[in-house]
Amino acid sequence: MKVGQKYVLDKQAFLAVLDSLRRGAKLIGPTAGPDGDVIFREVESTSEFTHDYVNEFDPIKRFFIPHRQDLFRFQLDKMPKFEPLVDTSPQILFGIRSCDVKGILHWDKFFTGVYADNYYLAKRANTTIISVACNRPLDTCFCICCDGGPWLESGFDLQLSDFGDRYLIDVGSAKGVALLAKVKKGLVAATRQDLEHRKELMATCDSQMVPTAYVAKAIIQITNRRVREELWDEMGYECFSCGGCTHVCPVCTCYDVADYMETPTSGVRFRCWDSCQYSGFTREASGHNPREKAKERIKRRFYHKLSYAYVKLDGHHGCVGCGRCITVCEAIGMLDLPAVVKRLRREGQPAPEEQGA
Amino acid sequence: MSKVLTTCPSCGCGCGVFLVVENERVVGVAPQRKHPVSRGTLCVKGWNGHQIIHHPERLRKPLVKKNGTFHEVSWESALGEVAKGLRRHEPSHIGVVGSTKFTNEDAYLLMKLARGVLGTDNLDTSARFYQAPTLHAMSAQLGVAAATASLTDIEQADVLLVVGSNAKEQTAKAGSYLIWATHHGKKLVVVDPRETELSHFATLHLKPKPGTDVVWLNALCSWLIRGTRQVAEARGVNSLAKALESYTLANAAQLCGISQEELERLGVMVSEAQRLLILYGEGLTQHASGTEAIKAVVNLAALTGSLGKSGAGIIPLHLTNNTQGVFDVGLAPAFLPGFARVGDDQARSTLSEVMGCPLPEKAGLTLGEMLHGAGEQIKAMYVVGENLVWSAPNCAAAKAALERLDFLVVQDLFLTETAQLAHVVLPACSFAEKDGTFTSAERRVQRVRAAIPPVGEAKPDWQIFVALARKLGASLSYRSAEQVFKEFVSVNPWYKGITYGALDVPGGVQWPVGQSLPSVRDAKLLAPQFLPPSEQPTADYPFTLVIGRGRVHRASGTSVSRSFTLAKEYPEGILEVNTDDAKELGLRSGWRARVTTPRGSIERTVVVTRGIPPKVVFASIHHKDGLTNLLANDSLERDSRIPEMKVCAARVEVA
């Protein structure tokens, strides 16, 4: 048994293995929420899982990068003391979609760049990722435009494709191998028919996706500075600076760090979610703010998402096609990634009347 | 980690939100994708406002002041002090001030406590500072003081008239729909002296002199009646036509400082509209003509046939989450649940029977009147969830008024500037710690669900009212918020058929259920009068100061100052000054200017812009560098007694 191999296993048998792991790790997966929408949360048993779900609107980011995370406790007396608060508790993340796995790969790059972020890396090392290839896209999904799904070749520990009563299982890592090793019986190698069946399911999934995002052209436009200032100005007026796009994006990692004093000489340094779309995000101690206006912040956001400088640095542009930004944007249909890509692609094009000249 | 579905408390839009809970702490929020109005969005306040819940300054225990110092005491002891302090005074000398931010259940029981237990009709909320004209004018003309349309009607309307509201910043969801509308062929008319981000999208942007809206509205109505197009059938068209004879577009243009051509263009747009939707905010209500302006809005809606039609109507854009709810409950002097009047013997008798206690027969004092009469007419006050020292106009006078009281009780989340003046302070729960309902600006009743246990010894407001009533010798017996809600529904005909069970769907329920809202035929046209602002520019105070809010503000700024992220978004208060005025005064952007009115003086950082008219300046509320409301005019408007806090005369100089 090794990475890259594919197996088939009865669904209940696989879930039973997860239940057996429950004692040693937090088990997190999709459950039905109060309004019928899906909510990923910790469960006591896999029987709480729902198996027919669209991707959760809230990204799984909160299971790796908590909304608010205490980093270390400090005591500033004659002999200052610092007590790091690294969370190393194991967790199993079941049922996440391919686009979110792609997001995790972006975080891996971001948090192991110039400095290694021990808080993220500890969480990452203690998480087992079991994704389920997507079979129910929303009308906002566009992962096929971003190489983000609906199924992946790598990046997961295990990838499941739901065949109803069985799972097709792709093994993606040593962690995945170790997990499958706990299956006592019933695990059989996938046949060519199984792979064909998966291909059919994925083709059906692809065909249901509505938005398009021809990102390559937008990358060229933005990288070569062929975007008029007037367009960014207009977007600046449209933007509500609510920060929703960065909050729900499975790629974005905006955060702030601050201290919470518990006594005059002791407290906690914490990290919390922030947004590059807030003016406070870049304000300096002097009061100077390089990105005071919404226009500048939007420009920065899409430069970070789409410019070749970051594609080169990160190995991919900054979008996985989950479509959450389409729903969350208060500027309805104007500033989500597919909409902006469409607007950027139009830049520099001669107007229709001029083409005939 | 778990998620609890509740309703966003940031403004009157009523967006759906999940609170993300870990170890009994609210650590974050997520929008509700399935909500029919917010549809998976939240504004900057919605995303970050939850941060106040665990702020270190939360009140955790009741406090009693002895020899000028607060001491922590038990609930039993604190409530004993409150009961004793209130009992020492005649009911007519007691004032009760509620919040527009607490639940319908809280509001109902406070109303019951004040009228039924304390026997006072001196009962109000800070809605008096923002939307009181809506309550007075609409109830008189339509029998209902509420939006006659929904936010999603913006999608169907073909002409949108937005008056006196920076909707994009204050009620972002409404702003979201409005901007969408302009990208989809709808005509947007914005009426605001300033240029805002919303006005950027306007088909037509009118900039009348502050406080003159009733004039152009009356002229428009007069023009419609005298025009060739037949106006809708409404009671009193003929007498209205007679009363408005002197209002012409030419006269209005001159008095309001806008061009006649623009007014005519507005008239054509409105008269040709199949579906006209009117949305307004405090820029229309916080004036001497506030109630008159809302009468004019109702007239306009009636004359254009915009009532009782989908995609058309009126929406007051409430700044706070339960302004509509406190109106529905009758948490206002002179008003009972369902917009009945205190003077209506039948209504009062019916309510008295259900509540099981006699009710005051005469209308009491409004909030502004209570503050003006503090120390004389009013000797004791019970203030719940309102930081009056910040939210009241002329806040120095408000503070002095509260200091003149024999007895002051404050119930809040924090030891606010108002709480610091109190003799007893009671810790209250936030929306994340209690169950109940909010009613949004578009009449949407939605569940509020407790996500965490109370912080410290804080209690839900309604439970405090029940406990206090017992101390005062009355028996209010309620085991749950749901039981309170049931009683409220039984006394408000507009809520008939609404139960907690019925609210367990995305977006809750819009009242009324199975009935119709007033249509054109039900409307009573009343002739509005123009009452000029009581304070006009003079040689000493040559500028007109307009006071408003920034993107992160909700009402007084008490919440934003305690949200880590929101406070960062608004580091200082600003003063917008016209380019030519700035040149004359020797001011530049980034410099500090001193703004002075007859009530006080503060400093602000200048933003020089052509987006504000000459001789008009705009100041946003802020607290760290001086309370803007210190400058505000506390003169009370004639009918609803709303303070004229939107505009006043001011002097501006280099600091």
Side-chain angles (χ1 to χ4, degrees), chain B residues 133-170:
Chain B
T134 296
L135 179 61
H136 284 248
M138 290 189 81
S139 61
Q141 288 176 274
L142 298 175
V144 171
T148 68
S150 305
L151 289 177
T152 50
D153 278 314
I154 293 171
E155 294 173 328
Q156 294 179 67
D158 51 5
V159 175
L160 298 147
L161 176 59
V162 180
V163 189
S165 170
N166 189 357
K168 184 167 187 273
E169 297 193 356
Q170 298 304 291

Short mmCIF file of all heavy atoms in Angstrom, two decimals, chain B residues 133-170:
data_model
loop_
_atom_site.label_atom_id
_atom_site.label_comp_id
_atom_site.label_asym_id
_atom_site.label_seq_id
_atom_site.Cartn_x
_atom_site.Cartn_y
_atom_site.Cartn_z
N PRO B 133 -40.27 60.98 14.02
CA PRO B 133 -41.24 61.49 13.03
C PRO B 133 -41.94 60.38 12.25
O PRO B 133 -43.10 60.53 11.87
CB PRO B 133 -40.39 62.38 12.12
CG PRO B 133 -39.30 62.87 13.02
CD PRO B 133 -38.97 61.67 13.88
N THR B 134 -41.24 59.28 12.01
CA THR B 134 -41.86 58.16 11.31
C THR B 134 -43.02 57.62 12.13
O THR B 134 -44.11 57.36 11.61
CB THR B 134 -40.82 57.04 11.08
OG1 THR B 134 -39.79 57.53 10.23
CG2 THR B 134 -41.46 55.81 10.46
N LEU B 135 -42.79 57.45 13.41
CA LEU B 135 -43.82 56.90 14.30
C LEU B 135 -45.04 57.82 14.32
O LEU B 135 -46.18 57.37 14.20
CB LEU B 135 -43.25 56.75 15.72
CG LEU B 135 -44.19 56.21 16.80
CD1 LEU B 135 -44.68 54.81 16.44
CD2 LEU B 135 -43.49 56.19 18.15
N HIS B 136 -44.81 59.11 14.43
CA HIS B 136 -45.92 60.05 14.56
C HIS B 136 -46.66 60.28 13.25
O HIS B 136 -47.89 60.22 13.21
CB HIS B 136 -45.40 61.38 15.13
CG HIS B 136 -45.12 61.31 16.60
ND1 HIS B 136 -45.85 62.00 17.53
CD2 HIS B 136 -44.21 60.60 17.31
CE1 HIS B 136 -45.41 61.73 18.74
NE2 HIS B 136 -44.41 60.88 18.64
N ALA B 137 -45.94 60.55 12.18
CA ALA B 137 -46.60 60.88 10.92
C ALA B 137 -47.26 59.66 10.29
O ALA B 137 -48.42 59.71 9.88
CB ALA B 137 -45.60 61.50 9.95
N MET B 138 -46.54 58.55 10.22
CA MET B 138 -47.09 57.39 9.52
C MET B 138 -48.27 56.79 10.27
O MET B 138 -49.23 56.33 9.66
CB MET B 138 -46.01 56.34 9.28
CG MET B 138 -44.97 56.78 8.25
SD MET B 138 -43.85 55.43 7.77
CE MET B 138 -44.84 54.58 6.58
N SER B 139 -48.21 56.80 11.60
CA SER B 139 -49.33 56.22 12.33
C SER B 139 -50.58 57.08 12.13
O SER B 139 -51.69 56.56 12.05
CB SER B 139 -49.01 56.09 13.82
OG SER B 139 -48.75 57.35 14.40
N ALA B 140 -50.40 58.39 12.01
CA ALA B 140 -51.54 59.28 11.80
C ALA B 140 -52.12 59.14 10.39
O ALA B 140 -53.33 59.20 10.20
CB ALA B 140 -51.13 60.73 12.05
N GLN B 141 -51.25 58.94 9.41
CA GLN B 141 -51.73 58.92 8.03
C GLN B 141 -52.07 57.54 7.50
O GLN B 141 -52.90 57.40 6.61
CB GLN B 141 -50.67 59.55 7.12
CG GLN B 141 -50.57 61.06 7.29
CD GLN B 141 -49.46 61.63 6.45
OE1 GLN B 141 -48.31 61.66 6.88
NE2 GLN B 141 -49.78 62.08 5.26
N LEU B 142 -51.39 56.53 8.02
CA LEU B 142 -51.61 55.17 7.50
C LEU B 142 -52.12 54.20 8.56
O LEU B 142 -52.53 53.10 8.24
CB LEU B 142 -50.30 54.62 6.92
CG LEU B 142 -49.68 55.36 5.74
CD1 LEU B 142 -48.33 54.75 5.37
CD2 LEU B 142 -50.61 55.31 4.53
N GLY B 143 -52.02 54.60 9.82
CA GLY B 143 -52.39 53.68 10.89
C GLY B 143 -51.28 52.70 11.21
O GLY B 143 -51.39 51.89 12.12
N VAL B 144 -50.21 52.75 10.45
CA VAL B 144 -49.06 51.86 10.64
C VAL B 144 -47.80 52.70 10.52
O VAL B 144 -47.65 53.46 9.56
CB VAL B 144 -49.02 50.77 9.55
CG1 VAL B 144 -47.72 49.99 9.63
CG2 VAL B 144 -50.19 49.84 9.69
N ALA B 145 -46.90 52.57 11.47
CA ALA B 145 -45.63 53.29 11.38
C ALA B 145 -44.53 52.29 11.08
O ALA B 145 -43.82 51.81 11.96
CB ALA B 145 -45.34 54.02 12.69
N ALA B 146 -44.42 51.95 9.81
CA ALA B 146 -43.46 50.93 9.41
C ALA B 146 -43.25 51.00 7.91
O ALA B 146 -44.04 51.63 7.19
CB ALA B 146 -43.97 49.55 9.79
N ALA B 147 -42.20 50.34 7.45
CA ALA B 147 -41.97 50.26 6.01
C ALA B 147 -43.20 49.64 5.34
O ALA B 147 -43.78 48.69 5.87
CB ALA B 147 -40.74 49.41 5.72
N THR B 148 -43.56 50.15 4.18
CA THR B 148 -44.67 49.54 3.45
C THR B 148 -44.13 48.63 2.36
O THR B 148 -44.90 48.08 1.58
CB THR B 148 -45.58 50.61 2.79
OG1 THR B 148 -44.83 51.26 1.74
CG2 THR B 148 -46.00 51.65 3.81
N ALA B 149 -42.81 48.50 2.28
CA ALA B 149 -42.16 47.67 1.27
C ALA B 149 -41.00 46.92 1.90
O ALA B 149 -40.70 47.11 3.07
CB ALA B 149 -41.66 48.54 0.12
N SER B 150 -40.37 46.05 1.11
CA SER B 150 -39.22 45.28 1.57
C SER B 150 -37.97 45.72 0.83
O SER B 150 -38.04 46.34 -0.22
CB SER B 150 -39.43 43.79 1.27
OG SER B 150 -40.63 43.35 1.82
N LEU B 151 -36.82 45.35 1.39
CA LEU B 151 -35.57 45.69 0.72
C LEU B 151 -35.49 45.05 -0.66
O LEU B 151 -34.97 45.62 -1.60
CB LEU B 151 -34.37 45.27 1.58
CG LEU B 151 -34.15 46.11 2.84
CD1 LEU B 151 -32.99 45.55 3.65
CD2 LEU B 151 -33.89 47.56 2.49
N THR B 152 -36.03 43.84 -0.78
CA THR B 152 -35.96 43.18 -2.09
C THR B 152 -36.88 43.85 -3.11
O THR B 152 -36.78 43.58 -4.30
CB THR B 152 -36.30 41.68 -1.99
OG1 THR B 152 -37.51 41.54 -1.26
CG2 THR B 152 -35.19 40.92 -1.28
N ASP B 153 -37.77 44.73 -2.65
CA ASP B 153 -38.59 45.49 -3.60
C ASP B 153 -37.72 46.42 -4.44
O ASP B 153 -38.12 46.87 -5.51
CB ASP B 153 -39.66 46.30 -2.87
CG ASP B 153 -40.88 45.47 -2.52
OD1 ASP B 153 -41.35 44.74 -3.41
OD2 ASP B 153 -41.35 45.54 -1.37
N ILE B 154 -36.53 46.73 -3.94
CA ILE B 154 -35.60 47.56 -4.71
C ILE B 154 -35.31 46.90 -6.06
O ILE B 154 -35.10 47.58 -7.06
CB ILE B 154 -34.29 47.78 -3.92
CG1 ILE B 154 -34.56 48.64 -2.67
CG2 ILE B 154 -33.21 48.42 -4.78
CD1 ILE B 154 -33.39 48.75 -1.70
N GLU B 155 -35.34 45.57 -6.08
CA GLU B 155 -35.08 44.85 -7.33
C GLU B 155 -36.19 45.08 -8.36
O GLU B 155 -35.96 44.97 -9.56
CB GLU B 155 -34.93 43.35 -7.06
CG GLU B 155 -33.72 43.00 -6.23
CD GLU B 155 -33.68 41.53 -5.82
OE1 GLU B 155 -34.76 40.95 -5.62
OE2 GLU B 155 -32.57 40.98 -5.70
N GLN B 156 -37.40 45.35 -7.87
CA GLN B 156 -38.55 45.51 -8.77
C GLN B 156 -38.86 46.95 -9.10
O GLN B 156 -39.49 47.24 -10.11
CB GLN B 156 -39.79 44.90 -8.13
CG GLN B 156 -39.77 43.41 -7.94
CD GLN B 156 -41.06 42.95 -7.28
OE1 GLN B 156 -42.13 43.03 -7.88
NE2 GLN B 156 -40.97 42.51 -6.04
N ALA B 157 -38.48 47.87 -8.22
CA ALA B 157 -38.80 49.28 -8.43
C ALA B 157 -38.13 49.78 -9.70
O ALA B 157 -37.11 49.24 -10.13
CB ALA B 157 -38.33 50.09 -7.24
N ASP B 158 -38.71 50.82 -10.32
CA ASP B 158 -38.01 51.41 -11.45
C ASP B 158 -37.44 52.78 -11.13
O ASP B 158 -36.52 53.24 -11.79
CB ASP B 158 -38.86 51.43 -12.72
CG ASP B 158 -40.23 52.04 -12.52
OD1 ASP B 158 -40.50 52.55 -11.41
OD2 ASP B 158 -41.03 52.01 -13.46
N VAL B 159 -37.99 53.44 -10.10
CA VAL B 159 -37.38 54.68 -9.62
C VAL B 159 -37.18 54.56 -8.11
O VAL B 159 -38.10 54.17 -7.39
CB VAL B 159 -38.26 55.91 -9.94
CG1 VAL B 159 -37.66 57.17 -9.30
CG2 VAL B 159 -38.38 56.10 -11.44
N LEU B 160 -35.97 54.88 -7.67
CA LEU B 160 -35.64 54.80 -6.26
C LEU B 160 -35.27 56.20 -5.78
O LEU B 160 -34.39 56.83 -6.34
CB LEU B 160 -34.46 53.85 -6.06
CG LEU B 160 -34.77 52.41 -6.50
CD1 LEU B 160 -33.53 51.74 -7.06
CD2 LEU B 160 -35.36 51.62 -5.36
N LEU B 161 -35.97 56.66 -4.76
CA LEU B 161 -35.72 57.98 -4.20
C LEU B 161 -35.15 57.80 -2.80
O LEU B 161 -35.84 57.30 -1.90
CB LEU B 161 -37.03 58.78 -4.16
CG LEU B 161 -37.00 60.17 -3.51
CD1 LEU B 161 -36.01 61.09 -4.21
CD2 LEU B 161 -38.40 60.77 -3.53
N VAL B 162 -33.89 58.17 -2.61
CA VAL B 162 -33.22 58.00 -1.32
C VAL B 162 -32.96 59.38 -0.72
O VAL B 162 -32.21 60.18 -1.30
CB VAL B 162 -31.89 57.23 -1.47
CG1 VAL B 162 -31.21 57.06 -0.11
CG2 VAL B 162 -32.14 55.87 -2.11
N VAL B 163 -33.57 59.65 0.41
CA VAL B 163 -33.49 60.98 1.01
C VAL B 163 -32.85 60.93 2.39
O VAL B 163 -33.27 60.16 3.26
CB VAL B 163 -34.90 61.61 1.16
CG1 VAL B 163 -34.78 63.08 1.58
CG2 VAL B 163 -35.69 61.48 -0.13
N GLY B 164 -31.82 61.74 2.57
CA GLY B 164 -31.23 61.89 3.90
C GLY B 164 -30.65 60.63 4.48
O GLY B 164 -30.69 60.42 5.69
N SER B 165 -30.11 59.78 3.63
CA SER B 165 -29.50 58.55 4.14
C SER B 165 -28.24 58.20 3.37
O SER B 165 -28.25 58.17 2.15
CB SER B 165 -30.48 57.38 4.02
OG SER B 165 -29.79 56.17 4.29
N ASN B 166 -27.18 57.92 4.10
CA ASN B 166 -25.96 57.40 3.49
C ASN B 166 -26.06 55.89 3.55
O ASN B 166 -25.33 55.23 4.30
CB ASN B 166 -24.75 57.93 4.27
CG ASN B 166 -23.46 57.61 3.58
OD1 ASN B 166 -23.44 56.95 2.54
ND2 ASN B 166 -22.36 58.07 4.15
N ALA B 167 -26.99 55.35 2.78
CA ALA B 167 -27.36 53.94 2.89
C ALA B 167 -26.19 52.99 2.69
O ALA B 167 -26.13 51.93 3.31
CB ALA B 167 -28.47 53.61 1.90
N LYS B 168 -25.25 53.37 1.83
CA LYS B 168 -24.14 52.46 1.56
C LYS B 168 -23.30 52.22 2.81
O LYS B 168 -22.75 51.14 3.00
CB LYS B 168 -23.25 53.01 0.44
CG LYS B 168 -22.12 52.09 0.03
CD LYS B 168 -21.48 52.55 -1.27
CE LYS B 168 -20.47 51.54 -1.79
NZ LYS B 168 -19.11 51.71 -1.27
N GLU B 169 -23.21 53.22 3.67
CA GLU B 169 -22.40 53.08 4.87
C GLU B 169 -23.21 52.69 6.09
O GLU B 169 -22.74 51.94 6.95
CB GLU B 169 -21.65 54.39 5.15
CG GLU B 169 -20.67 54.74 4.04
CD GLU B 169 -19.71 55.84 4.43
OE1 GLU B 169 -19.84 56.41 5.53
OE2 GLU B 169 -18.83 56.14 3.62
N GLN B 170 -24.42 53.21 6.21
CA GLN B 170 -25.20 53.01 7.44
C GLN B 170 -26.00 51.73 7.44
O GLN B 170 -26.12 51.06 8.46
CB GLN B 170 -26.15 54.20 7.64
CG GLN B 170 -25.42 55.51 7.81
CD GLN B 170 -24.43 55.44 8.95
OE1 GLN B 170 -24.82 55.36 10.10
NE2 GLN B 170 -23.16 55.43 8.62
#
